[in-house]
């Protein structure tokens, strides 16, 4: 898999799985940047944020360059994907926001769309997995559906694997995990105005 194949698959079907996007060493380094300041995840942005443990039960920590060199490098890799996607599809992607997420044993994220309500400016979703050795018994798969609710793929959160999909086209869920599951979920966004509120980077 490479960036050209990624662009082809996004054009073709709207989603793709890039195995070994990061080496096991790079995965470990990135994981160490995930301190213990993670918080219970909330649904929505800004004033509408609400902890909703019946929908999702992961703990998150937003990525900042200050977290270390591995994070800076990852953000640079996402920047080159952003440039390539903009060149190819004229999506006008403007910024990238991402958070580490930790799903403890039993945690899940029910079926949802990433571009909804106050997140309408999300266009492209990325999920990178940071788990060493993942087996079928560990559960925690990402299941992707189309807008007619057909199941398209069940994807194990294997370390180094990057999943990319169009945020408005693919409802998805995280099945309950049987052991700690760590990832970086991210979104390329466009600039948008809604309800007289300029919805740009916060
Ligand atoms: O971790 C995953 O596989 C997906 C997470 C997700 O859907 C989200 O954070 O919006
Ligand atoms: Fe999601």
């Amino acid at each position: 898999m490479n960036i050209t194949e990624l662009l082809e698959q996004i054009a073709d079907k709207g989603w793709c799985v890039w195995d070994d996007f990061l080496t096991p060493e790079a995965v470990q380094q990135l994981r160490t940047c995930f301190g213990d300041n993670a918080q219970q995840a909330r649904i929505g942005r800004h004033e509408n944020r609400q902890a909703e443990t019946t929908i999702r039960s992961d703990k998150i920590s937003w990525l900042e360059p200050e977290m270390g060199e591995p994070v800076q490098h990852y953000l640079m890799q996402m920047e080159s994907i952003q440039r390539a996607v903009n060149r190819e599809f004229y999506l006008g992607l403007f910024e990238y926001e991402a958070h580490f997420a930790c799903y403890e044993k039993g945690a899940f994220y029910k079926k949802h769309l990433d571009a909804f309500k106050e997140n309408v400016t999300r266009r492209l979703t990325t999920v990178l997995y940071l788990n060493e050795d993942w087996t079928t018994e560990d559960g925690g798969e990402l299941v992707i559906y189309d807008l007619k609710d057909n199941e398209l793929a069940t994807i194990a959160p294997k370390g180094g694997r990057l999943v990319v999909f169009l945020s408005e086209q693919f409802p998805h869920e995280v099945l309950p995990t049987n052991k700690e599951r760590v990832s970086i979920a991210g979104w390329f966004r466009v600039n948008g105005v809604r309800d007289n509120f300029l919805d740009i980077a916060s």
Side-chain angles (χ1 to χ4, degrees), residues 61-99:
S61 173
W62 290 92
L63 255 67
E64 306 288 351
E66 294 72 34
M67 288 171 164
E69 201 277 327
V71 168
Q72 290 160 23
H73 187 249
Y74 183 67
L75 292 173
M76 268 158 49
Q77 288 179 295
M78 293 302 110
E79 230 174 85
S80 46
I81 290 183
Q82 175 174 326
R83 270 196 304 273
V85 167
N86 277 341
R87 233 181 2 247
E88 189 78 8
F89 305 121
Y90 307 103
L91 280 187
L93 303 178
F94 169 79
E95 64 146 8
Y96 181 71
E97 59 180 10
H99 62 59

mmCIF file of all heavy atoms in Angstrom, residues 61-99:
data_model
loop_
_atom_site.group_PDB
_atom_site.id
_atom_site.type_symbol
_atom_site.label_atom_id
_atom_site.label_comp_id
_atom_site.label_asym_id
_atom_site.label_seq_id
_atom_site.Cartn_x
_atom_site.Cartn_y
_atom_site.Cartn_z
ATOM 1 N N SER A 61 -7.433 11.765 24.459
ATOM 2 C CA SER A 61 -6.491 12.850 24.724
ATOM 3 C C SER A 61 -6.118 13.438 23.358
ATOM 4 O O SER A 61 -5.604 12.725 22.490
ATOM 5 C CB SER A 61 -5.294 12.233 25.445
ATOM 6 O OG SER A 61 -4.275 13.142 25.602
ATOM 7 N N TRP A 62 -6.438 14.717 23.140
ATOM 8 C CA TRP A 62 -6.205 15.333 21.828
ATOM 9 C C TRP A 62 -4.713 15.448 21.535
ATOM 10 O O TRP A 62 -3.929 15.769 22.426
ATOM 11 C CB TRP A 62 -6.891 16.701 21.748
ATOM 12 C CG TRP A 62 -8.379 16.562 21.714
ATOM 13 C CD1 TRP A 62 -9.221 16.578 22.790
ATOM 14 C CD2 TRP A 62 -9.200 16.324 20.565
ATOM 15 N NE1 TRP A 62 -10.517 16.365 22.368
ATOM 16 C CE2 TRP A 62 -10.536 16.214 21.019
ATOM 17 C CE3 TRP A 62 -8.936 16.199 19.183
ATOM 18 C CZ2 TRP A 62 -11.608 15.978 20.148
ATOM 19 C CZ3 TRP A 62 -9.998 15.964 18.326
ATOM 20 C CH2 TRP A 62 -11.321 15.854 18.813
ATOM 21 N N LEU A 63 -4.323 15.180 20.311
ATOM 22 C CA LEU A 63 -2.918 15.229 19.910
ATOM 23 C C LEU A 63 -2.410 16.665 19.836
ATOM 24 O O LEU A 63 -3.053 17.513 19.222
ATOM 25 C CB LEU A 63 -2.745 14.608 18.512
ATOM 26 C CG LEU A 63 -2.115 13.222 18.458
ATOM 27 C CD1 LEU A 63 -3.075 12.230 19.089
ATOM 28 C CD2 LEU A 63 -1.786 12.820 17.039
ATOM 29 N N GLU A 64 -1.262 16.897 20.458
ATOM 30 C CA GLU A 64 -0.589 18.186 20.379
ATOM 31 C C GLU A 64 0.866 17.909 20.013
ATOM 32 O O GLU A 64 1.448 16.957 20.536
ATOM 33 C CB GLU A 64 -0.603 18.889 21.755
ATOM 34 C CG GLU A 64 -1.948 19.046 22.395
ATOM 35 C CD GLU A 64 -2.812 20.094 21.712
ATOM 36 O OE1 GLU A 64 -2.289 20.815 20.836
ATOM 37 O OE2 GLU A 64 -4.008 20.181 22.052
ATOM 38 N N PRO A 65 1.463 18.768 19.165
ATOM 39 C CA PRO A 65 2.870 18.571 18.793
ATOM 40 C C PRO A 65 3.777 18.475 20.021
ATOM 41 O O PRO A 65 4.785 17.764 20.003
ATOM 42 C CB PRO A 65 3.206 19.816 17.971
ATOM 43 C CG PRO A 65 1.894 20.326 17.477
ATOM 44 C CD PRO A 65 0.869 19.940 18.498
ATOM 45 N N GLU A 66 3.389 19.183 21.112
ATOM 46 C CA GLU A 66 4.205 19.185 22.336
ATOM 47 C C GLU A 66 4.315 17.800 22.971
ATOM 48 O O GLU A 66 5.141 17.583 23.860
ATOM 49 C CB GLU A 66 3.624 20.147 23.384
ATOM 50 C CG GLU A 66 3.654 21.617 23.008
ATOM 51 C CD GLU A 66 2.641 21.976 21.933
ATOM 52 O OE1 GLU A 66 1.550 21.373 21.916
ATOM 53 O OE2 GLU A 66 2.952 22.828 21.079
ATOM 54 N N MET A 67 3.481 16.865 22.549
ATOM 55 C CA MET A 67 3.533 15.521 23.140
ATOM 56 C C MET A 67 4.799 14.772 22.740
ATOM 57 O O MET A 67 5.086 13.718 23.288
ATOM 58 C CB MET A 67 2.303 14.723 22.726
ATOM 59 C CG MET A 67 1.031 15.179 23.402
ATOM 60 S SD MET A 67 -0.400 14.365 22.651
ATOM 61 C CE MET A 67 -1.643 14.672 23.904
ATOM 62 N N GLY A 68 5.514 15.301 21.737
ATOM 63 C CA GLY A 68 6.787 14.668 21.385
ATOM 64 C C GLY A 68 6.996 14.471 19.899
ATOM 65 O O GLY A 68 6.078 14.648 19.095
ATOM 66 N N GLU A 69 8.219 14.069 19.585
ATOM 67 C CA GLU A 69 8.627 13.929 18.179
ATOM 68 C C GLU A 69 7.779 12.909 17.422
ATOM 69 O O GLU A 69 7.388 13.165 16.273
ATOM 70 C CB GLU A 69 10.127 13.578 18.146
ATOM 71 C CG GLU A 69 10.823 13.863 16.843
ATOM 72 C CD GLU A 69 10.620 12.719 15.854
ATOM 73 O OE1 GLU A 69 10.540 11.548 16.299
ATOM 74 O OE2 GLU A 69 10.543 13.013 14.645
ATOM 75 N N PRO A 70 7.469 11.751 18.021
ATOM 76 C CA PRO A 70 6.643 10.786 17.276
ATOM 77 C C PRO A 70 5.283 11.364 16.864
ATOM 78 O O PRO A 70 4.786 11.074 15.767
ATOM 79 C CB PRO A 70 6.468 9.629 18.274
ATOM 80 C CG PRO A 70 7.657 9.719 19.170
ATOM 81 C CD PRO A 70 7.919 11.191 19.321
ATOM 82 N N VAL A 71 4.701 12.209 17.735
ATOM 83 C CA VAL A 71 3.417 12.842 17.401
ATOM 84 C C VAL A 71 3.619 13.843 16.260
ATOM 85 O O VAL A 71 2.849 13.877 15.295
ATOM 86 C CB VAL A 71 2.794 13.528 18.634
ATOM 87 C CG1 VAL A 71 1.625 14.424 18.237
ATOM 88 C CG2 VAL A 71 2.326 12.484 19.644
ATOM 89 N N GLN A 72 4.696 14.643 16.357
ATOM 90 C CA GLN A 72 4.991 15.605 15.285
ATOM 91 C C GLN A 72 5.153 14.884 13.950
ATOM 92 O O GLN A 72 4.660 15.324 12.913
ATOM 93 C CB GLN A 72 6.272 16.384 15.598
ATOM 94 C CG GLN A 72 6.120 17.360 16.748
ATOM 95 C CD GLN A 72 7.446 17.752 17.358
ATOM 96 O OE1 GLN A 72 8.497 17.656 16.713
ATOM 97 N NE2 GLN A 72 7.434 18.172 18.608
ATOM 98 N N HIS A 73 5.856 13.762 13.992
ATOM 99 C CA HIS A 73 6.087 13.007 12.757
ATOM 100 C C HIS A 73 4.771 12.463 12.200
ATOM 101 O O HIS A 73 4.520 12.537 10.998
ATOM 102 C CB HIS A 73 7.090 11.874 13.010
ATOM 103 C CG HIS A 73 7.493 11.163 11.761
ATOM 104 N ND1 HIS A 73 7.123 9.872 11.491
ATOM 105 C CD2 HIS A 73 8.199 11.601 10.685
ATOM 106 C CE1 HIS A 73 7.595 9.527 10.299
ATOM 107 N NE2 HIS A 73 8.244 10.557 9.797
ATOM 108 N N TYR A 74 3.944 11.959 13.085
ATOM 109 C CA TYR A 74 2.646 11.439 12.639
ATOM 110 C C TYR A 74 1.808 12.556 12.010
ATOM 111 O O TYR A 74 1.191 12.371 10.952
ATOM 112 C CB TYR A 74 1.899 10.795 13.809
ATOM 113 C CG TYR A 74 0.577 10.185 13.396
ATOM 114 C CD1 TYR A 74 0.552 9.070 12.558
ATOM 115 C CD2 TYR A 74 -0.636 10.721 13.803
ATOM 116 C CE1 TYR A 74 -0.644 8.512 12.146
ATOM 117 C CE2 TYR A 74 -1.841 10.167 13.401
ATOM 118 C CZ TYR A 74 -1.840 9.059 12.576
ATOM 119 O OH TYR A 74 -3.026 8.522 12.163
ATOM 120 N N LEU A 75 1.805 13.724 12.645
ATOM 121 C CA LEU A 75 1.032 14.849 12.105
ATOM 122 C C LEU A 75 1.577 15.266 10.733
ATOM 123 O O LEU A 75 0.809 15.641 9.835
ATOM 124 C CB LEU A 75 1.054 16.037 13.086
ATOM 125 C CG LEU A 75 0.296 15.795 14.406
ATOM 126 C CD1 LEU A 75 0.510 16.954 15.377
ATOM 127 C CD2 LEU A 75 -1.205 15.591 14.155
ATOM 128 N N MET A 76 2.902 15.145 10.556
ATOM 129 C CA MET A 76 3.472 15.455 9.238
ATOM 130 C C MET A 76 3.031 14.444 8.197
ATOM 131 O O MET A 76 2.749 14.793 7.040
ATOM 132 C CB MET A 76 5.002 15.496 9.316
ATOM 133 C CG MET A 76 5.530 16.902 9.589
ATOM 134 S SD MET A 76 7.185 16.920 10.292
ATOM 135 C CE MET A 76 8.062 15.822 9.192
ATOM 136 N N GLN A 77 2.951 13.185 8.600
ATOM 137 C CA GLN A 77 2.473 12.153 7.665
ATOM 138 C C GLN A 77 1.024 12.427 7.259
ATOM 139 O O GLN A 77 0.643 12.250 6.100
ATOM 140 C CB GLN A 77 2.585 10.762 8.304
ATOM 141 C CG GLN A 77 4.008 10.272 8.422
ATOM 142 C CD GLN A 77 4.067 8.910 9.086
ATOM 143 O OE1 GLN A 77 3.723 8.758 10.260
ATOM 144 N NE2 GLN A 77 4.475 7.899 8.352
ATOM 145 N N MET A 78 0.219 12.868 8.230
ATOM 146 C CA MET A 78 -1.181 13.185 7.919
ATOM 147 C C MET A 78 -1.267 14.401 7.000
ATOM 148 O O MET A 78 -2.138 14.480 6.141
ATOM 149 C CB MET A 78 -1.980 13.419 9.200
ATOM 150 C CG MET A 78 -2.160 12.182 10.060
ATOM 151 S SD MET A 78 -2.976 10.810 9.179
ATOM 152 C CE MET A 78 -1.623 9.655 9.025
ATOM 153 N N GLU A 79 -0.319 15.339 7.177
ATOM 154 C CA GLU A 79 -0.283 16.515 6.314
ATOM 155 C C GLU A 79 -0.004 16.111 4.871
ATOM 156 O O GLU A 79 -0.590 16.683 3.944
ATOM 157 C CB GLU A 79 0.826 17.449 6.803
ATOM 158 C CG GLU A 79 0.406 18.885 6.987
ATOM 159 C CD GLU A 79 1.531 19.687 7.602
ATOM 160 O OE1 GLU A 79 2.412 20.170 6.858
ATOM 161 O OE2 GLU A 79 1.547 19.781 8.841
ATOM 162 N N SER A 80 0.866 15.133 4.678
ATOM 163 C CA SER A 80 1.135 14.758 3.281
ATOM 164 C C SER A 80 -0.052 14.017 2.680
ATOM 165 O O SER A 80 -0.327 14.159 1.488
ATOM 166 C CB SER A 80 2.454 14.008 3.111
ATOM 167 O OG SER A 80 2.595 13.025 4.063
ATOM 168 N N ILE A 81 -0.781 13.249 3.496
ATOM 169 C CA ILE A 81 -2.019 12.637 2.981
ATOM 170 C C ILE A 81 -3.008 13.739 2.607
ATOM 171 O O ILE A 81 -3.640 13.711 1.544
ATOM 172 C CB ILE A 81 -2.625 11.663 4.019
ATOM 173 C CG1 ILE A 81 -1.728 10.418 4.147
ATOM 174 C CG2 ILE A 81 -4.055 11.263 3.625
ATOM 175 C CD1 ILE A 81 -2.249 9.354 5.083
ATOM 176 N N GLN A 82 -3.115 14.755 3.483
ATOM 177 C CA GLN A 82 -4.033 15.875 3.218
ATOM 178 C C GLN A 82 -3.699 16.556 1.885
ATOM 179 O O GLN A 82 -4.582 16.806 1.069
ATOM 180 C CB GLN A 82 -3.938 16.884 4.365
ATOM 181 C CG GLN A 82 -4.767 18.147 4.143
ATOM 182 C CD GLN A 82 -4.773 19.058 5.366
ATOM 183 O OE1 GLN A 82 -4.735 18.596 6.495
ATOM 184 N NE2 GLN A 82 -4.821 20.349 5.131
ATOM 185 N N ARG A 83 -2.405 16.822 1.673
ATOM 186 C CA ARG A 83 -1.997 17.476 0.416
ATOM 187 C C ARG A 83 -2.349 16.617 -0.785
ATOM 188 O O ARG A 83 -2.885 17.100 -1.783
ATOM 189 C CB ARG A 83 -0.491 17.756 0.432
ATOM 190 C CG ARG A 83 -0.125 19.117 1.014
ATOM 191 C CD ARG A 83 1.309 19.492 0.647
ATOM 192 N NE ARG A 83 2.260 18.467 1.080
ATOM 193 C CZ ARG A 83 2.809 18.448 2.295
ATOM 194 N NH1 ARG A 83 2.516 19.389 3.170
ATOM 195 N NH2 ARG A 83 3.664 17.506 2.640
ATOM 196 N N ALA A 84 -2.067 15.310 -0.694
ATOM 197 C CA ALA A 84 -2.326 14.406 -1.821
ATOM 198 C C ALA A 84 -3.825 14.329 -2.123
ATOM 199 O O ALA A 84 -4.246 14.366 -3.281
ATOM 200 C CB ALA A 84 -1.766 13.020 -1.517
ATOM 201 N N VAL A 85 -4.627 14.233 -1.068
ATOM 202 C CA VAL A 85 -6.087 14.127 -1.243
ATOM 203 C C VAL A 85 -6.633 15.421 -1.846
ATOM 204 O O VAL A 85 -7.462 15.394 -2.752
ATOM 205 C CB VAL A 85 -6.767 13.806 0.109
ATOM 206 C CG1 VAL A 85 -8.268 14.008 0.038
ATOM 207 C CG2 VAL A 85 -6.468 12.372 0.526
ATOM 208 N N ASN A 86 -6.145 16.551 -1.364
ATOM 209 C CA ASN A 86 -6.606 17.834 -1.917
ATOM 210 C C ASN A 86 -6.231 17.969 -3.386
ATOM 211 O O ASN A 86 -7.024 18.452 -4.193
ATOM 212 C CB ASN A 86 -6.018 19.000 -1.119
ATOM 213 C CG ASN A 86 -6.815 19.283 0.137
ATOM 214 O OD1 ASN A 86 -7.973 18.879 0.250
ATOM 215 N ND2 ASN A 86 -6.210 19.970 1.083
ATOM 216 N N ARG A 87 -5.021 17.538 -3.720
ATOM 217 C CA ARG A 87 -4.555 17.604 -5.111
ATOM 218 C C ARG A 87 -5.441 16.748 -6.004
ATOM 219 O O ARG A 87 -5.836 17.144 -7.090
ATOM 220 C CB ARG A 87 -3.116 17.092 -5.177
ATOM 221 C CG ARG A 87 -2.172 18.047 -5.854
ATOM 222 C CD ARG A 87 -0.734 17.569 -5.951
ATOM 223 N NE ARG A 87 -0.421 16.260 -5.450
ATOM 224 C CZ ARG A 87 0.352 16.033 -4.378
ATOM 225 N NH1 ARG A 87 0.842 17.045 -3.684
ATOM 226 N NH2 ARG A 87 0.625 14.806 -4.001
ATOM 227 N N GLU A 88 -5.789 15.574 -5.515
ATOM 228 C CA GLU A 88 -6.501 14.592 -6.336
ATOM 229 C C GLU A 88 -8.002 14.874 -6.404
ATOM 230 O O GLU A 88 -8.617 14.749 -7.450
ATOM 231 C CB GLU A 88 -6.267 13.199 -5.730
ATOM 232 C CG GLU A 88 -6.760 12.046 -6.560
ATOM 233 C CD GLU A 88 -5.829 11.711 -7.722
ATOM 234 O OE1 GLU A 88 -4.716 12.284 -7.783
ATOM 235 O OE2 GLU A 88 -6.243 10.894 -8.563
ATOM 236 N N PHE A 89 -8.603 15.239 -5.279
ATOM 237 C CA PHE A 89 -10.076 15.326 -5.222
ATOM 238 C C PHE A 89 -10.599 16.739 -4.973
ATOM 239 O O PHE A 89 -11.807 16.924 -4.853
ATOM 240 C CB PHE A 89 -10.618 14.409 -4.116
ATOM 241 C CG PHE A 89 -10.179 12.986 -4.225
ATOM 242 C CD1 PHE A 89 -9.464 12.383 -3.193
ATOM 243 C CD2 PHE A 89 -10.476 12.238 -5.350
ATOM 244 C CE1 PHE A 89 -9.056 11.057 -3.289
ATOM 245 C CE2 PHE A 89 -10.067 10.911 -5.452
ATOM 246 C CZ PHE A 89 -9.353 10.327 -4.421
ATOM 247 N N TYR A 90 -9.725 17.722 -4.852
ATOM 248 C CA TYR A 90 -10.153 19.112 -4.593
ATOM 249 C C TYR A 90 -11.112 19.191 -3.411
ATOM 250 O O TYR A 90 -12.122 19.862 -3.461
ATOM 251 C CB TYR A 90 -10.824 19.720 -5.845
ATOM 252 C CG TYR A 90 -9.977 19.605 -7.078
ATOM 253 C CD1 TYR A 90 -10.254 18.648 -8.036
ATOM 254 C CD2 TYR A 90 -8.882 20.445 -7.264
ATOM 255 C CE1 TYR A 90 -9.457 18.526 -9.165
ATOM 256 C CE2 TYR A 90 -8.072 20.331 -8.391
ATOM 257 C CZ TYR A 90 -8.370 19.367 -9.328
ATOM 258 O OH TYR A 90 -7.579 19.244 -10.425
ATOM 259 N N LEU A 91 -10.805 18.449 -2.354
ATOM 260 C CA LEU A 91 -11.714 18.436 -1.197
ATOM 261 C C LEU A 91 -11.580 19.697 -0.343
ATOM 262 O O LEU A 91 -12.440 19.982 0.479
ATOM 263 C CB LEU A 91 -11.438 17.209 -0.317
ATOM 264 C CG LEU A 91 -12.048 15.890 -0.792
ATOM 265 C CD1 LEU A 91 -11.835 14.804 0.253
ATOM 266 C CD2 LEU A 91 -13.542 16.034 -1.078
ATOM 267 N N GLY A 92 -10.512 20.443 -0.542
ATOM 268 C CA GLY A 92 -10.321 21.651 0.252
ATOM 269 C C GLY A 92 -10.145 21.355 1.734
ATOM 270 O O GLY A 92 -10.570 22.124 2.599
ATOM 271 N N LEU A 93 -9.505 20.222 2.036
ATOM 272 C CA LEU A 93 -9.267 19.895 3.447
ATOM 273 C C LEU A 93 -8.356 20.968 4.018
ATOM 274 O O LEU A 93 -7.379 21.381 3.401
ATOM 275 C CB LEU A 93 -8.623 18.517 3.577
ATOM 276 C CG LEU A 93 -9.421 17.374 2.946
ATOM 277 C CD1 LEU A 93 -8.667 16.063 3.090
ATOM 278 C CD2 LEU A 93 -10.812 17.273 3.568
ATOM 279 N N PHE A 94 -8.687 21.403 5.225
ATOM 280 C CA PHE A 94 -8.101 22.615 5.753
ATOM 281 C C PHE A 94 -7.277 22.350 7.002
ATOM 282 O O PHE A 94 -6.267 22.977 7.256
ATOM 283 C CB PHE A 94 -9.243 23.583 6.028
ATOM 284 C CG PHE A 94 -8.875 24.794 6.804
ATOM 285 C CD1 PHE A 94 -8.244 25.851 6.172
ATOM 286 C CD2 PHE A 94 -9.164 24.887 8.148
ATOM 287 C CE1 PHE A 94 -7.899 26.984 6.876
ATOM 288 C CE2 PHE A 94 -8.823 26.017 8.862
ATOM 289 C CZ PHE A 94 -8.191 27.074 8.232
ATOM 290 N N GLU A 95 -7.714 21.405 7.795
ATOM 291 C CA GLU A 95 -6.942 21.097 8.998
ATOM 292 C C GLU A 95 -7.223 19.670 9.437
ATOM 293 O O GLU A 95 -8.157 19.023 8.957
ATOM 294 C CB GLU A 95 -7.281 22.061 10.130
ATOM 295 C CG GLU A 95 -8.706 21.962 10.590
ATOM 296 C CD GLU A 95 -8.846 22.212 12.086
ATOM 297 O OE1 GLU A 95 -7.853 22.606 12.723
ATOM 298 O OE2 GLU A 95 -9.940 22.000 12.603
ATOM 299 N N TYR A 96 -6.374 19.201 10.336
ATOM 300 C CA TYR A 96 -6.485 17.833 10.836
ATOM 301 C C TYR A 96 -6.571 17.880 12.354
ATOM 302 O O TYR A 96 -5.774 18.572 12.994
ATOM 303 C CB TYR A 96 -5.256 17.040 10.399
ATOM 304 C CG TYR A 96 -5.243 15.596 10.838
ATOM 305 C CD1 TYR A 96 -6.114 14.669 10.275
ATOM 306 C CD2 TYR A 96 -4.347 15.157 11.807
ATOM 307 C CE1 TYR A 96 -6.096 13.338 10.665
ATOM 308 C CE2 TYR A 96 -4.316 13.824 12.200
ATOM 309 C CZ TYR A 96 -5.198 12.919 11.622
ATOM 310 O OH TYR A 96 -5.174 11.600 12.013
ATOM 311 N N GLU A 97 -7.551 17.219 12.906
ATOM 312 C CA GLU A 97 -7.640 17.115 14.369
ATOM 313 C C GLU A 97 -7.662 15.641 14.717
ATOM 314 O O GLU A 97 -8.236 14.829 13.984
ATOM 315 C CB GLU A 97 -8.907 17.815 14.900
ATOM 316 C CG GLU A 97 -10.191 17.253 14.336
ATOM 317 C CD GLU A 97 -11.455 17.944 14.846
ATOM 318 O OE1 GLU A 97 -11.349 18.985 15.498
ATOM 319 O OE2 GLU A 97 -12.542 17.411 14.568
ATOM 320 N N ALA A 98 -7.000 15.269 15.795
ATOM 321 C CA ALA A 98 -6.907 13.848 16.128
ATOM 322 C C ALA A 98 -6.751 13.657 17.626
ATOM 323 O O ALA A 98 -6.230 14.529 18.319
ATOM 324 C CB ALA A 98 -5.710 13.233 15.408
ATOM 325 N N HIS A 99 -7.230 12.532 18.112
ATOM 326 C CA HIS A 99 -7.008 12.200 19.520
ATOM 327 C C HIS A 99 -6.594 10.754 19.698
ATOM 328 O O HIS A 99 -7.005 9.888 18.939
ATOM 329 C CB HIS A 99 -8.230 12.530 20.387
ATOM 330 C CG HIS A 99 -9.487 11.795 20.046
ATOM 331 N ND1 HIS A 99 -9.591 10.421 20.065
ATOM 332 C CD2 HIS A 99 -10.706 12.242 19.696
ATOM 333 C CE1 HIS A 99 -10.826 10.061 19.758
ATOM 334 N NE2 HIS A 99 -11.526 11.135 19.501
#
